[in-house]
Amino acid sequence: MIKERQTFVTNELVDLVRQLDHETFLHGMRVGEMSYKFSRYLDLSLHQSNQLHFIGYVHDIGKLKIPISIVTKRGPLTDFEWNLMKNHTIYGYELLKDFSYHRDILKTVRYHHENIDGTGYEGLRSNEIDFNSKVIRIIDSFDALTHDRCYRKKCSIELSLKKIQKQSGTVYDQDLVKEFTKFICKLY
Ligand SMILES: [Fe+2]
């Protein structure tokens, strides 16, 4: 049996993450940081909080396997490009598996685009989605909404939160959205 890696960040991994485009790199840093803070707010164990911090940092690492011209494209993606882009969850899972990361980390990198109602990338439903993936699903969206993207301008914190609340129970986990709302109100 392969021994699972205990240390989260290694030099090899840092080298890889640095190869991501600047926007994806910064997004990962922010998602990691906010996931850690939210985990502490939820009173999760320090181990799980550190794990979520790490997952946030690397959740989009699979984008390394997608042509940079598609990842950084300014403007809408074609159907072909969009389908390719969606593979980043599986690519990320495979990449980190080669590094022998813990199965909990692999699972979240793979399932961070699953929706509660089963309409996500792989069609998993609420009880089939791991807790960490549900957390990253919210924070990933919140960060994307509150920052400029090449194809749209950022939304205010208030509007971003409203957009997430509107999809509570369909895209996002209801209980976590309630907690996230309290967390954001406390933070800002
Ligand atoms: Fe992603």
Side-chain angles (χ1 to χ4, degrees), residues 27 59-60 63 88-89 109 112-113 121 140:
H27 167 70
H59 72 286
D60 278 338
K63 288 188 180 173
H88 78 275
T89 52
V109 169
H112 72 271
H113 282 284
Y121 285 9
D140 185 13

Side-chain angles (χ1 to χ4, degrees), residues 23 27 30 63 72-77 82 113 137-157 159-160 163-164 167 172:
E23 203 175 295
H27 167 70
R30 292 189 304 260
K63 288 188 180 173
T72 59
K73 187 175 173 185
R74 307 205 168 257
L77 298 179
W82 183 240
H113 282 284
R137 186 77 180 95
I138 295 175
I139 296 178
D140 185 13
S141 296
F142 184 77
D143 185 79
L145 287 163
T146 51
H147 288 84
D148 286 337
R149 283 284 161 108
C150 38
Y151 47 89
R152 57 150 180 79
K153 285 273 165 206
K154 66 179 179 181
C155 302
S156 67
I157 287 167
L159 182 60
S160 303
K163 284 180 183 250
I164 286 173
Q167 292 183 299
Y172 310 107

